[in-house]
Amino acid sequence: MRVPRSHPRYRSLRARELLASMVDEGVADRTGLIAHGRGEAFDYFLGERTPPEARLAASVAAYRLAKARAPVISVNGNVAALACKAVIALAKAVPARVEVNLFHRTEKRIDLVASYMESLGGRDILGRQAAGRIPGLAQPRAKCSREGIFSADVVLVPLEDGDRAEALKKMGKLVIAIDLNPLSRTALAANITIVDELTRAIPLLEKYVRMARKEPARHARLVRGFDNVQNLLSVRDRMARNLMDAER
Ligand code: PTJ
């Protein structure tokens, strides 16, 4: 369907069309459409704008990514479908490795998603070789790359499932989540949760990584004062207020 640019829901409709076509290609899983719908609902509560809490969390996350020894960005079907180029740009800015790591894992889909990223400029995409295991997860979700997620100190997990986020944290990794649902287990398990829409959050992170390199002292101060639980409570309050103040 061709969506006219003038349509008030242009961005949202385009994202849906893109995701649906990526399901047809096999890059995104069909349950990714449901996950996306849940995200859209929470984005309504945010007014479809990046809230100050997400800016704060992204500033802290950017500093931790920039200072990391071995940072990795984990990419699933939805992330590749909606934000492939932005992820590649962020990985370059950090610099971080990119690993395809799927909830509905098949070797065929891993290869499809990795090839899709490579076709848009991704280099050295990890995930096809998965000799590492995340303790506490059942196969095949435990699989990961030895040189990627397994040995990372900081892992960015946009749209992650709760079990894996918790398991990565238990491994001692610093987990940064992007998730529109501030109540999700992933949001609660992560060390830093950016409650914002993926396609807004990734470019913002890239911008903040560059700023963190220029002004490390300012970002370090934010890191010291950051409390993820408090920040999540604040964004939940904001969503509730937006809901109550909406025009009747
Ligand atoms: O490609 P695969 O096989 O790895 O599967 C990917 C999905 C996303 C289907 C899988 O990981 C999954 O089922 O995820 P969940 O458990 O439904 O969690 C997705 C979370 O991401 C939910 O809390 C949504 O609110 C949130 N979300 C969805 N779309 C966006 C989002 N957050 C930010 N931006 C979005 N665009």
Side-chain angles (χ1 to χ4, degrees):
M1 187 186 84
R2 250 189 73 80
V3 185
R5 271 188 177 276
S6 56
H7 194 290
R9 307 221 42 78
Y10 176 77
R11 254 181 80 92
S12 158
L13 293 174
R14 281 281 306 195
R16 285 182 180 192
E17 288 293 320
L18 180 60
L19 197 55
S21 72
M22 287 290 136
V23 171
D24 292 343
E25 305 260 332
V27 169
D29 186 79
R30 63 203 170 121
T31 62
L33 294 169
I34 300 168
H36 185 76
R38 176 156 48 186
E40 279 189 336
F42 280 101
D43 206 16
Y44 252 69
F45 301 157
L46 280 183
E48 296 174 309
R49 274 192 308 270
T50 301
E53 292 82 4
R55 289 189 188 280
L56 174 62
S59 297
V60 172
Y63 180 86
R64 300 305 298 258
L65 281 167
K67 291 277 173 195
R69 169 185 53 80
V72 172
I73 305 173
S74 178
V75 170
N76 63 25
N78 283 42
V79 175
L82 296 174
C84 184
K85 285 189 176 168
V87 166
I88 293 168
L90 173 63
K92 213 169 155 189
V94 173
R97 301 297 304 265
V98 174
E99 175 168 341
V100 179
N101 200 284
L102 302 178
F103 184 77
H104 305 94
R105 185 188 179 99
T106 64
E107 301 317 307
K108 188 176 165 217
R109 256 192 87 219
I110 292 273
D111 190 48
L112 255 175
V113 177
S115 301
Y116 177 66
M117 295 203 74
E118 284 157 359
S119 75
L120 291 183
R123 295 275 166 270
D124 303 322
I125 305 289
L126 299 168
R128 292 183 179 101
Q129 309 291 328
R133 294 288 175 271
I134 303 171
L137 289 183
Q139 291 268 36
R141 283 164 59 207
K143 286 187 175 184
C144 65
S145 156
R146 271 209 164 272
E147 34 166 343
I149 287 177
F150 189 80
S151 40
D153 57 342
V154 177
V155 189
L156 172 65
V157 288
L159 283 63
E160 185 57 277
D161 79 280
D163 285 352
R164 193 150 50 196
E166 282 171 5
L168 289 172
K169 203 168 158 202
K170 277 201 190 121
M171 285 176 88
K173 299 178 191 306
L174 184 107
V175 177
I176 303 168
I178 299 174
D179 194 325
L180 274 161
N181 178 2
L183 305 165
S184 75
R185 274 196 305 134
T186 301
L188 298 171
N191 300 87
I192 305 167
T193 308
I194 303 168
V195 179
D196 196 12
E197 204 282 319
L198 172 78
T199 63
R200 293 195 300 264
I202 299 276
L204 188 69
L205 257 179
E206 187 201 335
K207 181 175 148 196
Y208 285 175
V209 164
R210 294 184 196 285
M211 283 165 62
R213 291 209 181 289
K214 279 195 197 129
E215 299 174 87
R218 192 180 85 83
H219 282 255
R221 265 199 309 280
L222 293 176
V223 172
R224 279 195 294 277
F226 183 72
D227 179 335
N228 201 45
V229 173
Q230 221 27 68
N231 205 45
L232 284 170
L233 287 174
S234 172
V235 84
R236 277 162 60 174
D237 277 352
R238 181 179 298 281
M239 285 181 174
R241 277 199 311 275
N242 285 349
L243 202 58
M244 298 311 290
D245 295 348
E247 278 175 34
R248 286 159 213 260

